[in-house]
Amino acid sequence: MADTLTGRTSEAPDAVPEFPMPRQSRCPFDPPPSLKDLQREGPLAKVRLWDGSESWLVTRYAEQRALLGDPRVSADTDRPGYPTKASPEAGEGKLSFIMMDDPEHARLRRMVTAPFAVKKVEALRPAVQRIVDGLIDDLLAGPAPVDLVDAFALPIPSLVICELLGVPYEEHDFFQEHTRTMVRTTATPEERGAASREVAGYLAGVVGKRIAEPRGDLLSSIAGRVTAGELTHQQATEMALLLLIAGHETTANMIALGTLALLQHPDQLALLRESDDPRLVASAVEELLRYLHITHLGRRRAVTEDIEIAGRLIKAGEGVIMVNEIGNRDPEAFADPDRLDITRDARRHVAFGFGVHQCLGQPLARMELQVVYGTLYKRIPTLKLAGDLRDVRFKTDAFIYGVHELPVSW
Amino acid sequence: MKVELEADKCVASGQCVLAAMDVFDQDDDGIAVLLDERPADENLDGVREAVAICPAAAIRLVDQ
Ligand code: SF4
């Protein structure tokens, strides 16, 4: 047993800890304490998953980066040993290139990289600023308390990704409801499958329309690949689904959970509110990405060839989970890692993953978060949580961590 | 010091552009482009940061 190396010889196989571990309700921003214990013991540990299978948990930053950048680990969910979060992974079928390896992964990914280049994203900043200002105007004109998730955090990325893809925003109730089901761990496989089929069916229709009548949006350019014979209609739909989901849940949760974290750290919030330096805003975004780590269930891979790392042998056919939320709290990588400090240089965090699968939308996510964090607290300086922190429902039941609602007033 | 970029490996994350705007740019598909092979000293810290954060290990800084 692997644990004999750490001296815990009494460890029987049934004592392998289960992953994910429960968080402690009194520190909603911190990873589960038992996860930190595992990290202290060493960079690798065996854990048991929902289906009884075992997988390696990679807890330290350096080993996480090394394995995420290693071509001997595969993102293909059909590979033996792949540690699935639930069955089936995300409804039916593969979520496009994030579940593929190179060269096919690179071929498909490169088809959609263009609009996410830093300068293209920068050109959208004024439009995002207008969206954010408009939503704040509405907040200030409306009643309080109000749910910040519903009235602010979710509409921003939703409007932006719909505009970029060319999906009519008027349909957002429909696909937001279904994408929520798709990322809810407590949904049954049937429910997730049905939700995914609904959205996929809808997107297949939009792709079909763009094949017939292209516009200047990203879906039209994906549709153009179908016309050119480089993608099937089904592959194009999966790609659209991936971009739509990835664009929604992640950024929305970073806005809401980030706001809650700042409200709980008034000194940090004051620094941000009182500064006009865009560099401080950018650094606050990186630090909150590091500190919160909303993709809390880790980056998962199947090992295709034996790998020796940290004095251990990970065998072909075994699964590895790079649990980034704890990698970002590794004291070897970040000094005093459990402290939220928006002035630190946190750019090396692994919140967007690492290696060839590192988040494609990260320049867009960064820009949206910079506009939000640089605007909301200045325009509503008295923003506060309405009610008690103990009543906030955290998304321990979702693949993406965050809050279900965030009641605020001012 | 000379910068080397393997554009084949690039996954268009844009991290290098954010770290050192004067040295890196992206082409129409988001793939990194080297603007300055031999960056001035004041840009070297940015390049080192780019080397450290490039997720695809596509950038190197060589001593020559
Ligand atoms: S940081 Fe690396 S992967 Fe990202 S754009 Fe630059 S060269 Fe490409």
Side-chain angles (χ1 to χ4, degrees), chain B residues 5 10-16 26 30 32 54-56 58-59:
Chain B
L5 170 75
C10 172
V11 295
S13 69
Q15 302 257 45
C16 54
Q26 287 166 289
C54 171
I59 308 165

Side-chain angles (χ1 to χ4, degrees), chain A residues 46-77:
Chain A
K46 274 275 175 88
V47 287
R48 191 179 306 286
L49 304 183
W50 64 278
D51 59 355
S53 66
E54 284 188 10
S55 179
W56 291 98
L57 202 69
V58 186
T59 60
R60 290 194 190 161
Y61 177 86
E63 283 78 12
Q64 288 185 355
R65 291 218 332 177
L67 285 170
L68 285 168
D70 194 316
R72 295 170 295 177
V73 300
S74 165
D76 184 345
T77 49

